[in-house]
Amino acid sequence: MIRYEPTRPDDGALRQRLRELAAERRRFGYRRLGYLLAREGIAPNHKKLLRIYREEGLRVRRRGGRKRALGTRRPMVLPDGPNQRWSLDFVSDSLICGRRFRILCVVDDYTRECLALVADTSLSGARVARELTSLMGSRGKPHTVVSDNGTELTSSAILRWSQERRVEWHYIAPGKPMQNGFVESFNGRLRDECLNETLFTSLAHARFVLAAWRHDYNTVRPHSKLGGKTPPRPPANVSGACPRHVAIPSNNHHEGARLYL
């Protein structure tokens, strides 16, 4: 009898590289691992990738408990020029009606300049990618972006964006926020000087206040880490001066807070 015997090419190199990436990114499924392979010029069919992923036993396992730093991360080199490294993080606050909103903070680690403060009630991975694309149009392309392991920043939209733009994305170790210390320090100043001092009446009001505070931070406020100087860059294109502070009546439950008008 004559019967057909299927022959498959040797996938040893693909299997080995897939195992290495899965060991480095333990919480990535086969789709996101596929994006990492595509960066290296390896683009197998998604069905073949899924089959090998299952055969190698790389399925993501559920785990409980608090986050712990697993594995190792490559040490980062300190930047020595603008646009070499951007840091990203989220800060949350609420309006006077109780509705929560989030703020995407983007900081240049070399100049200490606040590149963007994006406030909205929802900031998905696709929205973050659009904001970074818009920022690149006016600022230029960064070499590296640093962030934590939040779901928005490890989504397929962000992986696809970094692959298409050829921007290296560095994730800090879980539970180690000081590995992203530049933006964490900025977040503390933002909360102390702006968020804790302001009652936001609406999302539009919050955006106006954040734009004015960012303008003041980049062009007026002296930075201790820069020898009392402002970031070495022309002033941001924010029209108008910083708004004045008006004290809120003492019968308000936010004692000592201020409202930007």
Side-chain angles (χ1 to χ4, degrees):
M1 297 179 62
I2 300 176
R3 77 178 52 170
Y4 172 75
E5 293 185 0
T7 57
R8 291 177 176 172
D10 182 23
D11 298 322
L14 173 60
R15 291 175 182 270
Q16 176 64 24
R17 187 56 185 152
L18 188 62
R19 286 194 299 266
E20 293 174 356
L21 291 175
E24 182 180 354
R25 303 294 183 187
R26 293 187 173 96
R27 307 306 296 176
F28 278 22
Y30 81 96
R31 289 187 180 88
R32 290 196 282 181
L33 290 176
Y35 287 122
L36 299 181
L37 288 173
R39 293 180 185 177
E40 304 174 2
I42 307 173
N45 182 277
H46 70 280
K47 293 182 287 185
K48 177 180 180 179
L49 180 62
L50 176 59
R51 174 176 59 80
I52 296 177
Y53 179 82
R54 288 176 174 174
E55 291 175 356
E56 294 296 325
L58 302 177
R59 184 172 298 178
V60 177
R61 296 175 178 83
R62 292 185 178 180
R63 67 183 185 192
R66 64 181 179 88
K67 291 183 178 179
R68 293 176 175 84
L70 300 176
T72 59
R73 298 294 190 277
R74 291 176 299 172
M76 293 186 300
V77 180
L78 292 177
D80 56 5
N83 278 358
Q84 289 193 3
R85 192 171 74 198
W86 293 357
S87 294
L88 271 66
D89 201 7
F90 290 98
V91 179
S92 63
D93 205 342
S94 61
L95 306 175
I96 58 176
C97 63
R99 187 175 186 183
R100 305 289 296 180
F101 68 94
R102 305 179 74 197
I103 305 169
L104 171 65
C105 305
V106 186
V107 177
D108 189 308
D109 289 353
Y110 178 77
T111 64
R112 309 300 174 90
E113 180 186 2
C114 175
L115 304 181
L117 288 176
V118 182
D120 211 332
T121 54
S122 177
L123 292 170
S124 62
R127 173 69 181 281
V128 173
R130 291 198 301 270
E131 295 294 340
L132 291 177
T133 301
S134 176
L135 186 59
M136 284 172 54
S138 58
R139 174 77 184 192
K141 187 176 76 170
H143 179 269
T144 306
V145 176
V146 184
S147 73
D148 58 17
N149 295 267
T151 55
E152 302 88 353
L153 303 176
T154 58
S155 62
S156 298
I158 291 297
L159 292 173
R160 188 183 308 112
W161 180 88
S162 62
Q163 174 188 346
E164 294 174 351
R165 303 300 191 282
R166 299 184 181 277
V167 174
E168 182 180 352
W169 201 288
H170 180 91
Y171 294 101
I172 65 174
K176 302 291 184 180
M178 287 315 299
Q179 292 184 5
N180 202 11
F182 290 97
V183 74
E184 292 291 343
S185 176
F186 171 81
N187 291 346
R189 290 179 172 84
L190 172 63
R191 187 166 296 280
D192 290 341
E193 300 176 10
C194 182
L195 302 184
N196 291 346
E197 297 293 323
T198 312
L199 290 177
F200 298 113
T201 59
S202 64
L203 190 58
H205 177 222
R207 289 169 176 166
F208 171 78
V209 171
L210 290 171
W213 185 87
R214 172 176 169 264
H215 177 264
D216 179 79
Y217 180 86
N218 289 336
T219 60
V220 179
R221 182 184 185 277
H223 293 243
S224 59
K225 297 298 183 180
L226 299 177
K229 300 178 181 179
T230 56
R233 186 178 184 274
N237 294 326
V238 179
S239 60
C242 296
R244 55 189 175 90
H245 293 81
V246 178
I248 295 177
S250 59
N251 58 357
N252 192 285
H253 66 281
H254 288 273
E255 187 68 28
R258 296 170 182 172
L259 179 65
Y260 283 91
L261 296 177

